């Protein structure tokens, strides 16, 4: 553990950081693992393979995937517009991007529910014109998760676009590439790794999201019930084992997915010479 | 490895069908806001030349290059390529090879893919097959002697290697004109010297009309067949390096190209110059520019009437630069420089503080 | 060579509105992208924000005011402030020490420590609450012990504070570590070589350099601490007037069809969010112009 630095304060700062980290994060999180050891493998499987549980997993992961994908497309457009174009109100738009970070999820939840519920401002419009119901359906969950995902995508893609060397585009143009070719062959490959990061962050957040979703979801079992809500429900029924098993499974699946996305990102970076 | 060797003996005519073209710029005026970057610039560049656009920073040379490429709007004036007006043609249709100052290699592509880019983005009708592309790319990479790096990424290359890849990439589309923006600006001094020679050889071999921008007069004189001197958005002079050096059109060019001693002429100076052997009639100009190598010195016998005092000297390789104090009539001393070969200076056996006589061979006069 | 003969063809110096096709997006692309971006942001951000205000005042200012001045609302507001007041300073101290240890020294396990700091961000808020139930709940590890001494953690204020500590854990450290890494420690070494002590060096050299990033981290930490819902909801038990934070109060009111009450509470939180955004923008501006 020796260091050559003459800096003071190594022991106190590292000591405090390590102890605090253990107390606030590591010990609490480890309970999840230890608690699940109390369950036998059969009990665990029994809990997890329950039809209702499986359907919540399907709902949670598919809606998070859809929302992160949609947010990636629109987030890219927003980042592009913010970096490349100038127009009135751009600065306000820029500041507003972070609202989902700053606005408490419960507020977002009740507002989105109010907008999209069948009697709500947009909900009514969509039902009347397209016969499309948003609230109390997976679509409602996707809407809420898009809201949550926006800043993740925009804020990871934006700096890459800002740093992008304009000479690379000029080089492409001087070699005869059209605007479309410059975008698909030069600009997009360079922002893809950042876009994947933004997607991964948005997806991870979406899977675990609770506050902004539960109001608009309506929480109908087998239709619009998400994993976090099922955990809460189990807890309210004092089924701690059930809650733990589901929570641990969700955590593991999220980590595995994140790992896969990181590997994908690594592969993309390697392939594009950014490593 | 860093160039310098003669080019490979591959038969370039099989691979390249570069048709060299002439460039004509007519009355180009370019303003950025209130700043006039180019002021009624007209310029004719015959085919096959290797031209240097030379000038101090901010003189408009890079803007002019970017206008020829179509990377910058023309403002006023026209750009003609082989007498065809291309002013309104988009950069992607001009068929011009551009080598960027910091190379602008595509970071996410291998060296091979970088060079192949211009071929792969061609419309399907005129696009070569992948095997043809591969053949051509490898030939180009051999031409710049870097075929062994074909699967590397730009970040893994040295500055000189990137430079040559950028050149290969620009040549892949068989440009009718090759434009280079400060091609040696970002390189180490040693690599720069090798690459200059190499670029000259390459141009000789390909014979494509080429224009490069530089602020380094030595570089311009060494590499180019034609030099265009720019200042404040105007062309000061155009000509071969020797024309520009031996017959500078004005004081700016004389001062910018090579070393020169400047004499603002008053009565005493003219007397002093005449006593130093320079023959001139009364009204050739107000200012005399004298190249250091046009000043000969020898030890003075008559100390009181000597023209100058030897202050110090520096070794510049084969040459010695001698720092002299001009002995003024009213105590107004001025420094001037003379240059002579090493051995000649040794033979004079001079010491610091020695009085010397001068013989000035020639001067350029300006108003 | 010096004189340029006038070109052979007739040249007119007309400045055409010529666009560089390969380097600039065509107008229709530009405007449709702007329209999409603005529409998207309007739909997902401006509309919700406006609706909070609209709903809160839908029955008039008097109704809004009476909803706000209800004892339950006030006590929820108080609890929210108390939570932030405790968690934000603690996590700030942690963030600074962790950043100092990680960026100023080399030690085994440094990268693991850095990774672990981010861990709470990848855990669902609900799970963040659940783990404290597992620790301190009636059937939890310390449940019996706490019961013996008659201490309540879960369904009480300490549980809320612990859960909030967990979810807001990484914010400050996350802002400081990259900045201090980039800064290097030359300035601090200079101060030490001139005879300044450790504390003096920190206050006089390090702090002035990191203050904007530190404030930025504190700001984000505070916003999350005041707005956290999922984790707190699991441990709070929703006891009105006792363990309801403002976000929980919003939920309870909404579920009770007390729309004015819910949106009145929401309006305070939305105002907090807007203030956070304004300060954040100002801080980003400061940092950029440092």
């Amino acid at each position: 553990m020796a260091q050559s630095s003459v800096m003071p304060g190594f022991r106190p700062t590292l000591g405090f950081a390590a102890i605090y980290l253990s107390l606030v994060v590591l010990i609490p999180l480890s309970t999840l693992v230890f608690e699940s050891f109390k369950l036998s493998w059969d009990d665990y499987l029994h809990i997890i393979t329950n039809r209702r549980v499986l359907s919540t997993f399907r709902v949670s992961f598919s809606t998070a995937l859809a929302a992160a994908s949609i947010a990636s497309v629109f987030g890219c457009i927003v980042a592009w517009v913010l970096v490349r174009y100038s127009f009135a109100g751009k600065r306000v738009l820029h500041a507003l991007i972070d609202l989902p970070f700053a606005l408490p999820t419960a507020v977002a939840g009740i507002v989105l529910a109010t907008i999209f519920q069948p009697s709500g401002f947009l909900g009514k419009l969509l039902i009347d014109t397209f016969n499309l119901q948003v609230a109390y359906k997976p679509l409602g969950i996707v809407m809420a998760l898009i809201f949550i995902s926006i800043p993740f995508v925009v804020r990871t893609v934006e700096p890459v676009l800002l740093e992008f060397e304009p000479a690379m585009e000029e080089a492409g143009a001087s070699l005869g590439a059209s605007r479309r070719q410059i975008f698909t062959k030069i600009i997009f490959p360079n922002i893809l790794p950042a876009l994947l990061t933004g997607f991964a962050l948005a997806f991870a957040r979406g899977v675990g999201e609770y506050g902004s979703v539960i109001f608009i979801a309506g929480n109908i079992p087998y239709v619009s019930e998400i994993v976090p809500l099922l955990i809460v429900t189990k807890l309210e029924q004092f089924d701690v084992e059930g809650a733990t098993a589901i929570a641990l499974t969700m955590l593991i699946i999220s980590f595995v997915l994140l790992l896969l996305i990181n590997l994908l990102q690594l592969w993309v970076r390697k392939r594009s010479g950014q490593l | 490895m860093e160039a310098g060797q003669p080019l490979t003996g591959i038969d370039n005519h099989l691979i390249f069908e570069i048709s060299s073209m002439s460039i004509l710029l007519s009355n180009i005026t370019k303003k950025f806001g209130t700043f006039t970057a180019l002021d009624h610039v007209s310029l004719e560049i015959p085919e096959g030349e290797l031209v240097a656009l030379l000038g101090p920073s901010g003189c408009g040379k890079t803007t002019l290059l970017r206008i020829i490429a179509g990377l910058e709007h023309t403002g006023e004036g026209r750009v003609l390529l082989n007498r065809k007006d291309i002013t309104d043609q988009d950069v992607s249709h001009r068929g011009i090879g551009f080598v960027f100052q910091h190379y602008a290699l595509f970071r996410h592509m291998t060296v091979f893919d970088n060079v192949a880019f211009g071929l792969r983005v061609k419309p399907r009708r005129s696009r070569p097959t992948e095997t043809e592309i591969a053949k051509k790319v490898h030939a180009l990479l051999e031409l710049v002697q870097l075929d062994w790096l074909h699967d590397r990424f730009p970040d893994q290359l040295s500055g000189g290697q990137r430079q040559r890849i950028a050149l290969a990439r620009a040549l892949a589309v068989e440009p009718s004109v090759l434009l280079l923006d400060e091609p040696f600006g970002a390189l180490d001094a040693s690599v720069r010297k090798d690459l200059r020679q190499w670029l000259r050889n390459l141009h000789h071999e390909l014979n494509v009309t080429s224009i490069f921008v530089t602020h380094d007069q030595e570089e311009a004189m060494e590499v180019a067949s034609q030099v265009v001197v720019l200042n404040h958005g105007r062309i000061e002079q155009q000509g071969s390096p020797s024309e520009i050096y031996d017959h500078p059109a004005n004081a700016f060019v004389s001062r910018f190209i090579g070393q020169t001693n400047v004499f603002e002429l008053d009565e005493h100076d003219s007397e002093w110059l005449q006593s130093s052997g320079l023959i001139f009639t009364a009204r050739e100009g107000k200012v005399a520019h004298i190249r250091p190598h046009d000043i000969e010195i020898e030890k003075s016998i008559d100390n009181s009437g000597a023209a100058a005092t030897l202050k110090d000297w520096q070794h510049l390789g084969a040459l010695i630069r001698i720092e002299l104090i001009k002995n003024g009539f009213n105590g107004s001393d001025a420094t001037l420089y003379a240059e002579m070969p090493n051995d000649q200076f040794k033979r004079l056996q001079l010491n610091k503080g020695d009085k010397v006589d001068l013989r000035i061979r020639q001067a350029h006069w300006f108003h | 060579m010096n004189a340029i003969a006038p070109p052979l063809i007739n040249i007119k110096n007309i400045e055409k509105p010529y666009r560089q096709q390969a380097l600039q997006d065509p107008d229709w692309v530009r405007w449709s992208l702007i329209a999409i971006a603005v529409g998207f942001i309007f739909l997902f951000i401006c509309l919700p924000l406006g609706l909070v205000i609209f709903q809160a005042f839908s029955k008039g200012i008097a109704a809004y005011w009476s909803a706000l001045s209800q004892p339950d609302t006030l006590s929820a507001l108080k609890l929210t402030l108390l939570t932030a007041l405790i968690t934000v300073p603690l996590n700030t101290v942690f963030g600074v020490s962790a950043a100092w240890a990680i960026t100023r020294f080399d030690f085994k396990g440094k990268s693991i420590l850095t990774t672990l700091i981010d861990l709470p961000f990848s855990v669902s808020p609900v799970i963040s609450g659940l783990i404290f139930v597992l620790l301190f709940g009636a059937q939890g590890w310390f449940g019996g012990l706490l019961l013996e001494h008659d201490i309540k953690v879960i369904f009480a204020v300490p549980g809320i504070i612990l859960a909030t500590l967990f979810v807001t854990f990484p914010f400050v450290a996350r802002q400081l570590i990259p900045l201090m890494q980039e800064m290097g420690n030359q300035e601090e070494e200079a101060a030490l070589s001139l005879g300044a002590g450790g504390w003096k060096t920190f206050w006089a050299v390090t702090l002035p350099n990191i203050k904007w990033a530190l404030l930025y981290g504190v700001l984000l930490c505070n916003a999350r601490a005041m707005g956290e819902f999922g984790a707190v909801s699991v441990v709070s038990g929703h006891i009105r007037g006792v363990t309801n934070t403002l976000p929980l109060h919003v939920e309870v009111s909404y579920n009770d069809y007390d729309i004015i009450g819910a949106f009145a509470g929401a309006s305070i939180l939305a105002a907090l969010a807007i203030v956070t955004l304004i300060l954040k923008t100002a801080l980003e501006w400061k940092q950029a112009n440092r």
Side-chain angles (χ1 to χ4, degrees):
Chain A
M1 286 258 185
Q3 354 69 50
S4 56
S5 177
V6 295
M7 287 285 147
F10 177 60
R11 275 161 201 280
T13 53
L14 182 64
F16 175 70
I19 292 170
Y20 188 78
L21 175 76
S22 312
L23 284 180
V24 175
V25 176
L26 299 185
I27 295 175
L29 258 186
S30 67
T31 56
L32 204 58
V33 181
F34 287 117
E35 199 67 24
S36 59
F37 287 154
K38 288 184 184 167
L39 286 172
S40 71
W41 181 244
D42 287 341
D43 290 343
Y44 173 77
L45 276 187
H46 183 71
I47 295 170
I48 291 305
T49 53
N50 175 286
R51 248 192 75 214
R52 183 169 165 189
V53 175
L54 286 178
S55 101
T56 62
F57 273 99
R58 204 179 52 240
V59 171
S60 272
F61 282 96
S62 61
T63 53
L65 191 73
S69 311
I70 296 170
S72 293
V73 174
F74 285 95
C76 248
I77 294 175
V78 172
W80 179 266
V81 165
L82 284 177
V83 172
R84 291 301 178 102
Y85 305 152
S86 56
F87 53 94
K90 182 171 140 170
R91 286 171 148 242
V92 181
L93 193 69
H94 192 266
L96 279 173
I97 298 296
D98 284 327
L99 187 79
F101 279 158
L103 191 71
T105 52
V107 177
I110 64 167
V111 171
L112 290 173
T114 309
I115 293 175
F116 286 108
Q117 70 195 2
S119 61
F121 163 57
L122 275 182
K124 197 167 188 313
L125 194 77
L126 288 172
I127 288 178
D128 288 350
T129 47
F130 303 107
N131 198 21
L132 184 72
Q133 193 187 333
V134 175
Y136 319 137
K137 295 267 185 199
L139 188 57
I141 302 175
V142 172
M143 287 295 182
L145 293 183
I146 291 175
F147 173 82
I148 294 297
S149 304
I150 298 167
F152 286 101
V153 179
V154 178
R155 289 298 179 233
T156 42
V157 173
E158 201 184 8
V160 180
L161 274 178
L162 269 175
E163 262 178 42
F164 191 82
E165 230 189 306
M168 272 209 272
E169 276 172 70
E170 294 181 348
S174 76
L175 293 166
S178 67
R179 186 72 195 141
R180 180 194 303 253
Q181 285 170 323
I182 287 175
F183 183 80
T184 55
K185 287 175 184 257
I186 300 173
I187 300 172
F188 188 72
N190 274 288
I191 60 174
L192 184 61
L195 186 60
L196 277 176
T197 308
F199 174 86
L201 290 170
F203 177 71
R205 174 74 195 267
V207 168
E209 181 55 27
Y210 178 68
S212 58
V213 174
I214 53 166
F215 299 98
I216 198 172
N219 312 318
I220 305 158
Y222 305 107
V223 179
S224 60
E225 193 175 41
I226 53 168
V227 181
L229 185 84
L230 190 64
I231 295 173
V232 173
T233 312
K234 295 257 175 201
L235 267 183
E236 276 166 1
Q237 296 159 351
F238 301 103
D239 177 8
V240 177
E241 280 100 12
T244 311
I246 297 168
L248 187 70
T249 312
M250 173 159 102
L251 212 55
I252 290 170
I253 298 180
S254 312
F255 282 157
V256 168
L257 280 173
L258 274 185
L259 188 75
L260 286 178
I261 294 172
N262 276 329
L263 286 176
L264 176 70
Q265 207 192 349
L266 200 73
W267 179 74
V268 168
R269 273 182 201 280
K270 252 199 188 122
R271 250 199 47 175
S272 63
Q274 293 179 24
L275 264 185
Chain B
M1 220 164 66
E2 285 293 356
Q5 310 103 312
L7 292 171
T8 50
I10 51 170
D11 188 1
N12 294 321
H13 301 290
L14 290 178
I15 315 155
F16 308 112
E17 289 171 33
I18 291 177
S19 52
S20 199
M21 288 195 184
S22 68
I23 301 170
L24 183 68
L25 302 177
S26 158
N27 256 326
I28 305 272
T29 296
K30 175 75 180 175
K31 290 184 174 139
F32 294 106
T34 56
F35 173 71
T36 306
L38 293 170
D39 190 2
H40 295 93
V41 169
S42 293
L43 179 65
E44 191 180 349
I45 293 169
E47 55 181 65
E49 295 279 347
L50 175 55
V51 178
L53 292 180
L54 174 66
S57 58
C59 71
K61 54 191 191 299
T62 295
T63 308
L64 191 60
L65 196 75
R66 289 172 61 86
I67 283 176
I68 299 172
L71 291 168
E72 207 81 66
H73 294 240
T74 316
E76 282 172 42
R78 313 305 285 176
V79 181
L80 279 75
L81 203 62
N82 254 11
R83 308 201 164 203
K84 204 178 123 221
D85 189 342
I86 55 158
T87 315
D88 291 330
Q89 207 168 43
D90 190 70
V91 49
S92 54
H93 299 130
R94 286 196 187 186
I96 270 170
F98 200 100
V99 178
F100 290 79
Q101 186 173 6
H102 299 285
Y103 322 128
L105 292 177
F106 305 128
R107 291 186 55 213
H108 60 290
M109 292 182 195
T110 60
V111 164
F112 182 95
D113 290 337
N114 261 282
V115 179
F117 184 89
L119 302 170
R120 286 183 177 153
V121 296
K122 283 186 184 227
R124 193 158 282 130
R125 288 173 277 107
S126 50
R127 191 187 306 161
T129 64
E130 272 299 313
T131 36
E132 282 164 1
I133 290 177
K135 206 175 131 201
K136 185 155 182 179
V137 170
H138 284 297
L140 275 162
L141 287 173
E142 265 166 45
L143 179 72
V144 298
Q145 301 157 350
L146 289 176
D147 197 28
W148 55 287
L149 288 175
H150 66 93
D151 57 352
R152 301 281 180 88
F153 285 101
D155 284 352
Q156 301 163 329
L157 307 180
S158 74
Q161 290 167 340
R162 279 181 217 179
Q163 161 74 280
R164 284 186 277 157
I165 297 301
L167 200 60
R169 184 177 70 177
L171 288 174
V173 289
E174 292 166 5
S176 46
V177 172
L178 186 62
L179 307 176
L180 307 101
D181 187 6
E182 294 274 2
F184 313 108
L187 299 171
D188 294 340
S190 61
V191 182
R192 202 183 304 181
K193 277 220 141 58
D194 287 344
L195 271 178
R196 281 183 197 168
Q197 193 58 43
W198 180 81
L199 181 67
R200 225 189 131 82
N201 293 343
L202 187 76
H203 177 261
H204 190 73
E205 200 151 325
L206 299 178
N207 205 33
V208 54
T209 313
S210 306
I211 307 176
F212 71 99
V213 156
T214 180
H215 60 267
D216 182 343
Q217 47 98 9
E218 210 179 298
E219 190 169 285
M221 306 297 273
E222 186 182 330
V223 180
S225 61
Q226 287 275 310
V227 177
V228 177
V229 184
L230 279 145
N231 190 31
H232 294 310
R234 289 167 183 271
I235 292 182
E236 299 281 357
Q237 191 173 3
Q238 178 184 5
S240 70
S242 66
E243 270 169 37
I244 295 222
Y245 189 83
D246 295 334
H247 307 289
N250 53 39
F252 172 80
V253 176
S254 164
R255 222 190 271 241
F256 195 70
I257 309 287
Q259 296 268 329
T260 193
N261 293 297
V262 178
F263 290 90
E264 303 267 348
L265 220 57
D266 59 24
E267 283 168 40
H268 301 306
D269 275 329
S270 61
E271 205 172 306
W272 184 86
L273 283 171
Q274 266 165 344
S275 74
S276 297
L278 189 70
I279 298 150
F280 61 96
T281 54
R283 291 263 67 92
E284 281 192 70
K286 283 204 199 79
V287 185
H289 286 203
I290 301 165
R291 301 281 188 204
H293 52 76
D294 284 334
I295 301 179
E296 258 179 62
I297 64 173
E298 57 187 25
K299 212 166 191 169
S300 177
I301 314 152
D302 169 22
N303 267 3
S304 59
T309 309
L310 182 74
K311 191 187 173 208
D312 202 356
W313 62 83
Q314 293 104 37
H315 289 264
L316 312 169
L319 286 179
I320 292 278
R321 182 201 283 148
I322 304 147
E323 208 176 335
L324 300 161
I325 305 286
K326 187 185 100 186
N327 296 337
F329 288 83
N330 42 11
S332 63
D333 291 351
T335 307
L336 64 148
Y337 295 94
E339 272 173 18
M340 63 171 61
N342 239 327
D343 48 343
Q344 194 184 334
F345 182 70
K346 267 183 203 146
R347 257 179 272 135
L348 288 172
Q349 294 190 318
L350 286 165
N351 293 310
K352 283 180 198 171
D354 282 354
K355 301 287 180 187
V356 290
D357 284 335
L358 308 183
R359 221 178 68 226
I360 299 171
R361 283 195 213 99
Q362 63 159 329
H364 294 117
W365 295 94
F366 303 107
H367 291 280
Chain C
M1 204 63 203
N2 288 351
I4 302 293
L8 303 170
I9 54 166
N10 183 23
I11 288 168
K12 279 174 268 168
N13 280 335
I14 308 164
E15 215 169 326
K16 273 199 222 164
Y18 139 79
R19 174 172 291 288
Q20 290 171 304
Q21 300 159 13
L23 288 173
Q24 285 171 349
D25 299 329
D27 275 341
W28 69 270
V29 171
R30 175 181 297 246
W31 290 113
S32 13
L33 288 183
I34 291 179
I36 291 171
V38 171
F40 182 72
I41 296 302
F42 178 82
L43 174 66
F44 277 97
I45 289 179
C46 303
L47 192 64
L49 204 55
L51 196 86
V52 174
I53 314 294
F54 176 78
Q55 289 284 354
F57 290 99
S58 61
K59 294 258 164 59
I61 291 188
Y64 174 76
W65 194 247
S66 82
L68 270 193
S69 44
Q70 269 177 21
D72 285 355
T73 317
L74 289 178
S75 89
L77 182 61
K78 252 187 246 165
L79 182 58
T80 295
L81 291 175
L82 175 76
T83 310
L85 214 58
I86 294 173
T87 53
V88 174
L90 273 173
N91 280 336
T92 305
V93 173
F94 162 76
V96 174
S97 349
W100 183 269
I102 286 172
T103 60
R104 294 298 176 257
F105 303 97
D106 270 325
F107 53 90
K108 257 188 231 165
K110 182 161 134 172
S111 60
I112 297 179
L113 181 62
T114 317
T115 315
L116 287 177
I117 289 175
D118 274 347
L119 201 55
F121 275 166
S122 38
V123 174
S124 166
V126 168
I127 299 181
S128 311
L130 169 70
I131 55 180
F132 289 100
V133 174
L134 294 180
L135 264 184
F136 302 114
Q139 301 153 283
W141 292 9
F142 301 113
L145 195 72
L146 292 172
L147 206 60
E148 265 173 42
H149 294 87
D150 202 25
I151 305 168
K152 272 193 77 121
V153 173
I154 295 308
F155 304 149
V157 177
I160 292 173
I161 288 169
L162 279 171
T164 310
L165 269 185
F166 181 92
V167 292
T168 60
F169 183 83
F171 282 101
V172 177
R174 238 194 162 179
Q175 287 300 323
L176 292 186
I177 291 171
L179 177 72
M180 286 173 69
Q181 202 101 54
E182 193 194 323
M183 261 168 43
N185 54 7
Q186 283 172 349
E187 286 183 46
E188 282 134 14
E189 282 178 345
L192 291 166
S193 74
L194 293 168
W199 275 112
K200 183 78 191 156
T201 302
F202 176 76
W203 286 107
V205 177
T206 314
L207 200 58
N209 275 327
I210 63 169
K211 66 181 173 205
W212 298 123
L214 182 65
L215 273 176
Y216 193 92
V218 167
L219 188 71
L220 298 182
C221 181
N222 179 64
R224 184 73 191 267
M226 289 192 171
E228 178 51 30
F229 175 72
V232 170
S233 143
V234 172
V235 294
S236 116
H238 294 87
I239 307 163
R240 280 195 179 206
V242 183
T243 62
N244 262 0
T245 60
L246 208 46
L248 296 180
H249 176 76
V250 167
E251 182 206 11
V252 172
S253 306
Y254 184 83
N255 287 342
D256 288 351
Y257 303 102
D258 175 10
I259 299 301
I260 303 293
F263 280 95
S267 74
I268 297 179
L269 292 168
L272 169 80
I274 298 214
V275 171
T276 304
L277 282 189
I278 292 172
L279 288 178
K280 189 170 172 291
T281 311
L283 280 176
E284 276 165 351
W285 193 80
K286 279 255 187 223
Q287 251 175 313
N289 293 283
R290 195 157 51 101

